[in-house]
Amino acid sequence: MRWRIDLRYDGTAFHGWARQTGLRTVQGTLEEAIRVVLRLPEPVTVTCAGRTDTGVHARGQVTHVDVEAAVDPLRLLRGLNGVLPEDVAVTAVTAAPEGFDARFSALARRYVYRLCDDPAGWDPLTRGHVLRVGRPMDVERMNTAAAALLGEHDFAAFCKKREGASTVRALLEFSWQRTGTGQLEGTVIADAFCHSMVRALVGSMLPVGDGRRDVAWPGAVLAEKVRDSAVSVLPAHGLTLEEVRYPADDELAARALQARQVRGEVHQRG
């Protein structure tokens, strides 16, 4: 039976999501916890909606796992949280609807990148989740530049391209807002992301926000379809996967089939 497991984690001490021999990863940690709680002879494979990179956090990660053993969802949730380390927490365990695939059934992923541009607003207690920048940002300029990137485009200029993988994505929202003194949040929503895309998109906004680049510059970079060394891939710790959106239950299988056909086996990473 397929189970949906929702979780959140602090990515600081993890080498990303994907299981790697000899390294501490979220996938490896969760798979071992499931093995222990269900008393399985071998770990089972967990599939996630968004393969976060090293140091990236998640508040709304969604996964699925197929197990043959009998499962009481409440006991599994409690059991997992009893054996998982303190930087990972399971928030829900539910029987997956027919056709559900945590990765391919997803309609969109929502990431938020957090910045602080004013020493008066810097909070040392959140330093592991916020990037401190040395110049004040103009949110209006950043929103103007971000709006020009919306829609379906080839985002090769903002991705680490993989052989044979498409870099065409639909950017559904890219917006900035102030949430307090010196505090900025950049919300990025797309149907999927390629490797380092979110942090590169946000990186292209900083020189616009502080006036070093014109508001048209990120759009010009996008049109070139090649990586530009002037675009910084920002540090991972400011980025959090906040939400994964899915269609209605009766549309899950069709969405998964469509996503596989369009993208193939591509990374959904920030």
Side-chain angles (χ1 to χ4, degrees):
M1 185 170 179
R2 176 161 294 185
W3 294 91
R4 169 174 167 165
I5 301 177
D6 293 38
L7 67 153
R8 56 174 69 116
Y9 48 86
D10 184 321
T12 304
F14 288 103
H15 291 267
W17 164 266
R19 183 193 321 108
Q20 300 179 64
T21 302
L23 295 177
R24 186 176 188 259
T25 68
V26 183
Q27 181 182 19
T29 300
L30 179 59
E31 288 176 347
E32 176 60 17
I34 293 172
R35 185 197 69 79
V36 170
V37 173
L38 296 182
R39 300 180 181 180
L40 303 174
E42 299 290 338
V44 288
T45 298
V46 174
T47 299
C48 74
R51 294 181 62 185
T52 51
D53 290 329
T54 298
V56 175
H57 315 294
R59 187 173 284 107
Q61 180 69 276
V62 179
T63 72
H64 77 247
V65 62
D66 298 327
V67 293
E68 296 182 3
V71 173
D72 178 322
L74 182 57
R75 289 184 63 183
L76 179 57
L77 184 148
R78 290 174 174 170
L80 289 175
N81 284 330
V83 300
L84 284 167
E86 292 186 344
D87 49 1
V88 188
V90 171
T91 59
V93 176
T94 54
E98 184 176 354
F100 176 81
D101 185 293
R103 179 181 178 186
F104 288 110
S105 293
L107 290 174
R109 288 92 174 155
R110 177 170 65 91
Y111 282 87
V112 172
Y113 200 100
R114 294 176 170 87
L115 300 171
C116 178
D117 66 345
D118 183 346
W122 178 247
D123 182 358
L125 300 182
T126 63
R127 67 188 183 277
H129 299 261
V130 181
L131 177 69
R132 179 160 54 176
V133 294
R135 302 182 184 186
M137 297 286 117
D138 185 322
V139 173
E140 184 175 348
R141 284 173 56 86
M142 295 166 76
N143 276 324
T144 299
L149 305 180
L150 297 177
E152 186 172 88
H153 305 285
D154 185 344
F155 283 92
F158 298 98
C159 297
K160 292 182 179 179
K161 193 168 184 179
R162 293 176 60 245
E163 187 68 30
S166 171
T167 50
V168 175
R169 298 290 186 272
L171 186 60
L172 306 175
E173 180 181 336
F174 191 11
S175 62
W176 291 88
Q177 65 175 340
R178 286 199 176 274
T179 59
T181 302
Q183 303 295 315
L184 293 85
E185 290 188 354
T187 298
V188 190
I189 304 175
D191 60 342
F193 293 95
C194 36
H195 191 189
S196 78
M197 179 175 161
V198 181
R199 289 184 287 138
L201 285 171
V202 175
S204 73
M205 294 294 111
L206 267 59
V208 173
D210 65 19
R212 288 177 292 151
R213 293 278 188 175
D214 186 79
V215 294
W217 178 66
V221 171
L222 175 68
E224 291 297 319
K225 300 180 183 179
V226 293
R227 288 300 292 263
D228 190 322
S229 60
V231 176
S232 299
V233 177
L234 294 187
H237 72 272
L239 184 62
T240 301
L241 172 59
E242 295 285 351
E243 179 190 12
V244 183
R245 299 175 180 176
Y246 293 94
D249 288 356
D250 60 356
E251 300 174 4
L252 290 167
R255 170 60 186 171
L257 178 61
Q258 178 192 36
R260 287 190 178 94
Q261 291 174 338
V262 171
R263 308 208 186 285
E265 293 295 325
V266 299
H267 291 287
Q268 316 282 354
R269 301 167 66 168

